[in-house]
Amino acid sequence: MGKKLPPNQLKLYQSLDELLFFDWDPIGVSSMEGCRDEYYSYLPVVFQLCLDHCEPEPIARYLSKVTEYMGLNPDAPGSQRIAKRALELKRSCLD
């Protein structure tokens, strides 16, 4: 990230990291040792989108674009589900 986050934002960042790795996981690596950093490059964008928006659509669009970039078919309902969960995490960590 490059900057020190306040404790509540750090908790959100860590929670989003787990959400992306264990729940989103479009390439199915969450059960493989040594792949824990697979989605780290997407985390700062998801974090910022989460901070900037109260609606799931921008986050879901980003996740769908990333999935397509990976050469996979975007899963719009899955991306929407993860985006909604990200915003739930935001509310629980920042409120």
Side-chain angles (χ1 to χ4, degrees), residues 42-95:
Y42 309 114
L43 181 56
V45 175
V46 172
F47 176 71
Q48 193 60 54
L49 287 170
C50 202
L51 291 179
D52 292 346
H53 298 280
C54 294
E55 296 297 322
E57 287 74 21
I59 301 165
R61 273 194 306 272
Y62 176 72
L63 294 174
S64 290
K65 283 194 319 190
V66 167
T67 304
E68 191 172 13
Y69 175 77
M70 291 176 181
L72 304 169
N73 290 328
D75 175 14
S79 294
Q80 187 76 9
R81 179 181 59 78
I82 295 298
K84 286 179 180 178
R85 181 69 186 122
L87 292 174
E88 289 171 8
L89 291 169
K90 173 186 172 181
R91 283 188 290 278
S92 71
C93 292
L94 302 184
D95 286 351

Side-chain angles (χ1 to χ4, degrees), residues 21-23 25 27-36 38-39:
F21 187 70
F22 292 109
D23 296 333
D25 191 25
I27 59 174
V29 297
S30 64
S31 63
M32 297 178 182
E33 263 186 66
C35 293
R36 188 61 183 90
E38 186 63 36
Y39 306 123

